Amino acid sequence: MIIQLIISVIYQFLGMTGLFIFTAWQIGFLSLRRDRFYLFLGVYYAFCFINIVSTTLWLVQGDAQSIGSLLIVLLFAIFSPLVSRSMNESIYRTTQLNRENKRLEALIRKEERERIARDLHDNLGQSFSIITLKTELAQKLLAKQPEKVSQELTEIAQISRNNLQLVRQIVNGLENRSIAKALLEEEKLLSAASIYLSTEGEEIAENWPIELQTIFASCIKEAFTNIIRHSKAQFVQCVFRQSNQYYELSIHDNGIGFLTIDPTSHGLSGMMARMKEKNGTFDIINGDGTKLHFRIPLEEERER
């Protein structure tokens, strides 16, 4: 690029002006630290100054159209490096954010696998060890004291039933979804549909009971699916609030709104059913887009 600038100055004195503008846009995409970039930018502006000095006489003698063209070239030469640098930094930040999101997803999956492994080891591992010991004991008693075998088999059956219950609890735990995980997954789908997602109070929802988060996460998924399919929105906002009486979630998009509201449709009826399970409410506000408001009584969870 320095060679390009030197050549542009040489040609400038030979009467070919403006060649330095081909370097202007490239400067912002140089992989330089900020201090070195500004040093290089200073060198570039020095070359621009040389070009300005060399064309001063032509500028004074030129017609209005030529003067206007030269001013446009100079403005482009001055501001292009700064604009391209800003774009380069924006692209870098976006790339870094995507990488961080992928790392976060990998971390979530890793923590989930570790949780499952702990549950299996701490609960089922011990129980199966006991079953093995009792089975071996029953085999020994069968030859010496067969009357005691029945009791050992009864205990083995009870332990097996308890293990079955543990397996069901673990499976139910796998089905639970946090609000953070749901937003992470759904934001990708919204982004693919060119819909921008904004959240407010998300940190409040992180402390809600996991069962409650699973219900709200399902509502978020269903609502976002409808927004992507039908709303023609460009923006959607999720607001989480908690008062002394309620857990609340509002989802507001700037789309075309509902032409007709059919509460029996699969998506709406599913959200209503989830709220009804917790004695909650589900309201649809149609106008200036669509706003869905979910509310579950706080006392409902405290009683549990």
Side-chain angles (χ1 to χ4, degrees), residues 177-235:
R177 301 176 68 209
S178 68
I179 289 175
K181 184 177 180 181
L183 289 174
L184 193 64
E185 294 173 352
E186 297 303 317
E187 186 173 17
K188 291 182 179 180
L189 301 177
L190 290 173
S191 179
S194 300
I195 301 174
Y196 176 75
L197 172 64
S198 172
T199 64
E200 180 182 330
E202 189 176 341
E203 65 282 356
I204 298 174
E206 292 177 1
N207 299 318
W208 291 355
I210 187 62
E211 183 180 358
L212 194 67
Q213 290 196 45
T214 300
I215 293 174
F216 280 121
S218 299
C219 292
I220 288 172
K221 178 177 177 60
E222 190 63 50
F224 284 5
T225 299
N226 289 337
I227 289 172
I228 292 171
R229 289 179 179 175
H230 310 297
S231 72
K232 298 182 180 179
Q234 293 83 40
F235 176 84

Side-chain angles (χ1 to χ4, degrees), residues 17 58-73:
T17 62
W58 175 78
L59 178 62
V60 172
Q61 296 178 349
D63 56 23
Q65 184 176 359
S66 298
I67 294 173
S69 299
L70 182 60
L71 289 175
I72 292 174
V73 169

Side-chain angles (χ1 to χ4, degrees), residues 28-31 83-93:
F29 291 95
L30 288 175
S31 298
V83 173
S84 61
R85 179 70 176 186
S86 177
M87 290 182 59
N88 188 33
E89 290 179 348
S90 177
I91 293 171
Y92 176 77
R93 286 193 298 268

Side-chain angles (χ1 to χ4, degrees), residues 22 30 43 49 73 111 132 148 161 173 175 182-183 187 193 197 218 222 229 242 249 251 258 281:
F22 293 105
L30 288 175
V43 174
F49 178 75
V73 169
E111 290 178 349
T132 301
K148 294 185 178 181
R161 283 193 290 270
E175 293 175 351
L183 289 174
E187 186 173 17
L197 172 64
S218 299
E222 190 63 50
R229 289 179 179 175
Q242 180 177 339
L249 165 64
I251 301 176
F258 279 95
T281 59

Side-chain angles (χ1 to χ4, degrees), residues 86-121:
S86 177
M87 290 182 59
N88 188 33
E89 290 179 348
S90 177
I91 293 171
Y92 176 77
R93 286 193 298 268
T94 302
T95 303
Q96 288 294 100
L97 182 61
N98 290 334
R99 288 174 182 169
E100 289 176 3
N101 285 339
K102 289 180 180 179
R103 291 174 188 142
L104 179 60
E105 291 177 17
L107 180 61
I108 291 174
R109 287 194 294 269
K110 179 176 179 293
E111 290 178 349
E112 190 69 11
R113 287 195 297 268
E114 290 176 350
R115 183 184 69 82
I116 295 170
R118 285 195 302 269
D119 288 343
L120 292 174
H121 179 270

